[in-house]
Amino acid sequence: MKTTKLLLSSLMLASSLFAMGGCSSNDDPEIPVNPENPAVGESAGTMVIYEANPRFFATNNCINAINDRLDEIKALGTTVLWIMPVCEPGELKSVGSPYCIKNYKAMNPRYGTVADLKSLVDNAHSMGMDVIIDWVANHTSWDNEWITEHPDWYTQNGAGNIISPEGQNWTDVADLNYDNAAMRAAMIDAMAYWITETGIDGFRCDYTDGVPHDFWAEAITQLRAIDSELFMLSESEGSDYLNDGFDMYYDWSYASLVKDLFNGGKADTFFDKADALLDAIDDASQVMRYVYNHDVAMSNTLASLYGGADALPAVYALTTLLNGTPLVYSSMETELPSNGTLSFFDYNPLTWNSGKAEVYATINQIYAATAEVRGGKLSTYSTGDVATFTRVNGSHAMLVMVNPTNTTVSVKVPITYSGTTMRNMLTSTDEELPVAIELDGYGYAIYYK
């Protein structure tokens, strides 16, 4: 059975407390006394998604370059490898975007061959990782053969001219007409091609909102007739896409909340709003929360996002251990500058930094090791600038403290935990917690009992 579905089976056990427990509290929860037969609480998810931009790995033969780094990608704690669009991109009116598809059944020749992708998928499977690819269903390039062969497959204006998607500044692409049944069938056939030819485990579906719900329901039903365990990630916000058959969707609102926190926002406000976003669903693991991805990196500097590049591990630690399924974007494990953006259009091979990678690997190891307690009751604390929260599940407890400022602060340990011996998950040592802990700028502490 595939890794993703094994994970998803455990993810579905997550309790509604994981989604409900974000109320800010000044009351310290008691660490439960270990009973003779400790209660086993429900577990949270352990999925980690790694978004790979092939253009950051090489200028040619990009898929093989990713394949060469699979060991390092796996070492980050990755369970699902998401590869950005692999299909041949268009040239007519092109701005260089990989989301401008010329041929849905052909590889980008600079990336390699279909056989190269199949080899990567096979190797990832041997390491216990699933592989999904980006799918662009809303539009095509202007030199896609569908335009000349089937103009009725596209949205047209009153003069009969094919148009770009309305409401978007995407003049490099042509909008598809989902009232056309033949086009729908061709789209599903193209998606099926990659499943049968390469063995991929699913899709991250781009701009899901631009395509009707009934198409997604139809496509997912047909594709799961080929692979019943297909994993589907929707680039959308809203649990209604789960009704179409998607397994997971984006929490776009969260990204702005954590940005506000690291730019002088209040921790209490952050906790209240971040947890309220998940009230609509029973299982927080069905929501992907990101702190850096291809869109964010292209339009924002790390200085404007979080105050600087040094803040990114703290943002990721807070996000990963609080709620939802985390995303690592290829480039996070490099020496990213505080100023300057990172275009995902460019072929820009990056130099990976083992020290940076180890930081995220450690956070993800802690995330996996604390799955049981992360499924328990969440309590948050008023501790000045520092974001402090605990989780308690049965006989286990976890304390997380994150400093969202660039200055050293002394933060009070919640009184119930002061004097208690807990495992420092960053150093793997047992410590008796003091009355207060000093955290460096953008520092964080994680304790477990």
Side-chain angles (χ1 to χ4, degrees), residues 247-386:
D247 300 286
M248 190 177 295
Y249 62 93
Y250 278 49
D251 191 349
W252 276 323
S253 298
Y254 173 83
S256 63
L257 293 180
V258 75
K259 176 183 177 181
D260 289 345
L261 174 65
F262 276 75
N263 284 276
K266 299 298 184 183
D268 288 350
T269 301
F270 164 76
F271 281 128
D272 289 344
K273 291 184 177 180
D275 201 61
L277 290 172
L278 298 177
D279 283 348
I281 62 171
D282 293 329
D283 186 351
S285 62
Q286 293 175 307
V287 171
M288 188 187 76
R289 284 184 161 173
Y290 61 89
V291 298
Y292 202 58
N293 67 6
H294 64 278
D295 287 321
V296 168
M298 187 163 184
S299 55
N300 299 273
T301 68
L302 283 169
S304 66
L305 281 171
Y306 306 122
D310 291 344
L312 197 54
V315 184
Y316 184 78
L318 174 61
T319 301
T320 300
L321 297 175
L322 181 60
N323 261 336
T325 295
L327 173 77
V328 176
Y329 178 44
S330 54
S331 71
M332 287 172 62
E333 65 272 55
T334 69
E335 290 292 343
L336 290 166
S338 290
N339 292 299
T341 57
L342 190 62
S343 172
F344 64 88
F345 290 7
D346 299 333
Y347 285 83
N348 178 26
L350 301 176
T351 301
W352 269 255
N353 181 301
S354 59
K356 291 285 186 182
E358 186 176 350
V359 169
Y360 295 105
T362 298
I363 295 169
N364 289 334
Q365 289 165 6
I366 295 170
Y367 165 76
T370 57
E372 181 180 319
V373 72
R374 287 189 294 102
K377 184 180 184 298
L378 171 68
S379 297
T380 63
Y381 297 85
S382 298
T383 49
D385 292 329
V386 175

Side-chain angles (χ1 to χ4, degrees), residues 2-151:
K2 297 180 181 177
T3 305
T4 298
K5 288 301 172 180
L6 286 172
L7 288 166
L8 287 176
S9 295
S10 64
L11 299 184
M12 294 304 293
L13 295 174
S15 67
S16 58
L17 288 174
F18 193 44
M20 293 167 54
C23 298
S24 181
S25 171
N26 293 318
D27 298 325
D28 295 321
E30 295 294 330
I31 295 179
V33 176
N34 288 347
E36 290 185 13
N37 296 305
V40 177
E42 295 176 327
S43 294
T46 55
M47 182 184 291
V48 175
I49 301 174
Y50 181 93
E51 179 188 4
N53 182 351
R55 301 179 186 200
F56 289 170
F57 287 81
T59 55
N60 286 289
N61 297 314
C62 304
I63 295 300
N64 286 338
I66 298 175
N67 205 350
D68 290 342
R69 300 196 70 91
L70 281 184
D71 284 337
E72 291 151 284
I73 293 172
K74 174 63 177 178
L76 286 169
T78 302
T79 61
V80 177
L81 171 61
W82 154 25
I83 304 176
M84 290 173 64
V86 300
C87 295
E88 180 184 2
E91 297 180 4
L92 181 63
K93 300 185 182 181
S94 171
V95 295
S97 172
Y99 290 88
C100 175
I101 306 302
K102 180 179 181 179
N103 189 336
Y104 281 112
K105 289 187 178 181
M107 282 281 291
N108 181 335
R110 293 186 65 172
Y111 287 6
T113 66
V114 173
D116 292 335
L117 180 58
K118 185 179 188 307
S119 176
L120 182 152
V121 171
D122 290 343
N123 289 339
H125 286 170
S126 72
M127 297 179 187
M129 289 185 290
D130 283 348
V131 180
I132 63 175
I133 63 171
D134 232 315
W135 196 257
V136 187
N138 179 73
H139 48 259
T140 75
S141 71
W142 288 99
D143 48 5
N144 190 301
E145 63 182 15
W146 287 2
I147 285 190
T148 54
E149 294 179 0
H150 306 285

